Amino acid sequence: MQAYYDDGRGRYGTGESYDYFYKYDEEDVPIQTSDDGLWTYALPGDGEEVELLRYNGNAIHVEVPSMVDGRKVTALDSTFDGFYELKSAVVPEGVTSIEGAFYGCEGLEQVILPDSLLYMPYGLNSCYSLQEVRIPPHVKDVSNAFMGTGLRHIAFPEGTEDISGAFAASECLLSAYIPASVRTMYEAFADCETLTRVILADGITEIGDYAFSDCTALKELTIPESVVKFGKKSVGIMEIREYVDKRKTGYRIKGYQNVPGFCIRGVAGSGAQAYAEQQGILFVPLDK
């Protein structure tokens, strides 16, 4: 793979300066390049920990170092953003955040994430070739992390809190398990037209706005009694679309309707029954 820049600085052809880092645009944080030239990084805080901002090499199988220039690597931010040719990556223990780290890595087939990981918003977004990944056990934030991946099944670990937009518009996802620890799921599975099975753990208290909107293959959902709040068009609702071309690449929203054949299963007298009745959705009471 050749660099887009004549001086060999990386692979980006976005029209933006290669030296522009949005996160620290207006902050007085040192930005420098590693002695081996492979990493551009920031030194936030006391300067003893490294946040990797760019990978400057062209290897398609990469092991991210745990130390760079004698400092501990604790975060990745947009590090491999747009590196289409990347095939595999190993993120070392000690890294707690990979925000947007692999965004747009369309060829990424394997990534190994550390148990130390806590935050991965947009972490694997648009990794179209990725079909499997182990989510570390202590991850709290996976918002928008898996949009555009090839994952077919997901079980978020206990302790996960934010799954907003995690699989929005997924074309592959078939099933999902959502633990009781989840507090935020805005648009988590919106437009997942292949999703057929969802398990909501008892203890979840809220299903956020559009969480399961336009999930046209999801024909039933068992909602635990613990759920007391339902967001806007959260479950069992779909858009009425008027497509503007034969390939259905664009459309106008003409209104909304219930997903045909959809039903909610839950405890009689629960919030699930109240929501179903409010929306005109079939409610099937569970035997206690």
Side-chain angles (χ1 to χ4, degrees), residues 146-158:
F146 305 105
M147 296 173 64
T149 64
L151 273 65
R152 295 164 63 86
H153 307 281
I154 192 70
F156 297 110
E158 303 294 334

Side-chain angles (χ1 to χ4, degrees), residues 142 175 254:
V142 295
S175 69
K254 306 293 288 185

Side-chain angles (χ1 to χ4, degrees), residues 9-271:
R9 294 181 302 162
R11 59 194 172 275
Y12 301 97
T14 62
E16 295 181 351
S17 167
Y18 182 77
D19 296 318
Y20 172 74
F21 302 103
Y22 75 96
K23 190 172 182 179
Y24 299 111
D25 184 35
E26 298 180 357
E27 296 184 32
D28 187 20
V29 174
I31 306 293
Q32 56 195 70
T33 300
S34 60
D35 291 342
D36 60 10
L38 288 178
W39 308 96
T40 299
Y41 62 86
L43 295 172
D46 60 8
E48 293 302 313
E49 296 181 347
V50 167
E51 182 174 31
L52 299 180
L53 303 178
R54 290 286 188 271
Y55 171 62
N56 301 319
N58 55 22
I60 61 173
H61 301 284
V62 178
E63 289 194 23
V64 178
S66 59
M67 303 285 289
V68 169
D69 293 349
R71 298 181 176 95
K72 184 178 180 181
V73 175
T74 59
L76 281 64
D77 190 303
S78 308
T79 314
F80 298 94
D81 184 356
F83 187 176
Y84 309 126
E85 297 89 347
L86 184 67
K87 291 295 184 183
S88 71
V90 178
V91 181
E93 288 296 333
V95 171
T96 60
S97 175
I98 59 165
E99 184 172 358
F102 298 95
Y103 192 109
C105 291
E106 298 178 359
L108 185 67
E109 297 174 351
Q110 182 183 40
V111 60
I112 297 176
L113 303 175
D115 285 351
S116 56
L117 192 65
L118 299 176
Y119 308 101
M120 53 183 300
Y122 292 94
L124 297 167
N125 193 310
S126 300
C127 293
Y128 301 123
S129 301
L130 188 66
Q131 297 184 17
E132 293 184 12
V133 66
R134 172 186 173 271
I135 304 177
H138 307 298
V139 168
K140 297 181 181 297
D141 185 352
V142 295
S143 56
N144 304 290
F146 305 105
M147 296 173 64
T149 64
L151 273 65
R152 295 164 63 86
H153 307 281
I154 192 70
F156 297 110
E158 303 294 334
T160 304
E161 298 175 358
D162 189 349
I163 63 171
S164 300
F167 280 91
S170 170
E171 298 180 355
C172 301
L173 190 68
L174 300 176
S175 69
Y177 168 77
I178 304 172
S181 56
V182 169
R183 295 291 177 263
T184 307
M185 59 175 83
Y186 172 77
E187 291 189 348
F189 301 95
D191 252 329
C192 286
E193 296 184 352
T194 59
L195 183 65
T196 58
R197 185 169 184 265
V198 174
I199 298 176
L200 296 170
D202 188 23
I204 292 174
T205 60
E206 179 180 351
I207 299 178
D209 293 354
Y210 308 101
F212 297 97
S213 67
D214 293 286
C215 292
T216 52
L218 185 64
K219 298 304 183 182
E220 68 174 46
L221 184 63
T222 298
I223 299 179
E225 192 173 10
S226 58
V227 177
V228 294
K229 185 176 180 181
F230 292 81
K232 186 184 302 181
K233 298 178 176 61
S234 58
V235 177
I237 309 296
M238 62 181 289
E239 296 172 348
I240 300 172
R241 298 173 178 175
E242 179 182 80
Y243 290 93
V244 298
D245 58 73
K246 292 182 179 180
R247 295 193 301 166
K248 295 186 175 182
T249 56
Y251 60 86
R252 302 183 185 91
I253 300 173
K254 306 293 288 185
Y256 296 89
Q257 68 179 42
N258 293 346
V259 173
F262 179 77
C263 75
I264 289 175
R265 298 181 180 273
V267 175
S270 67

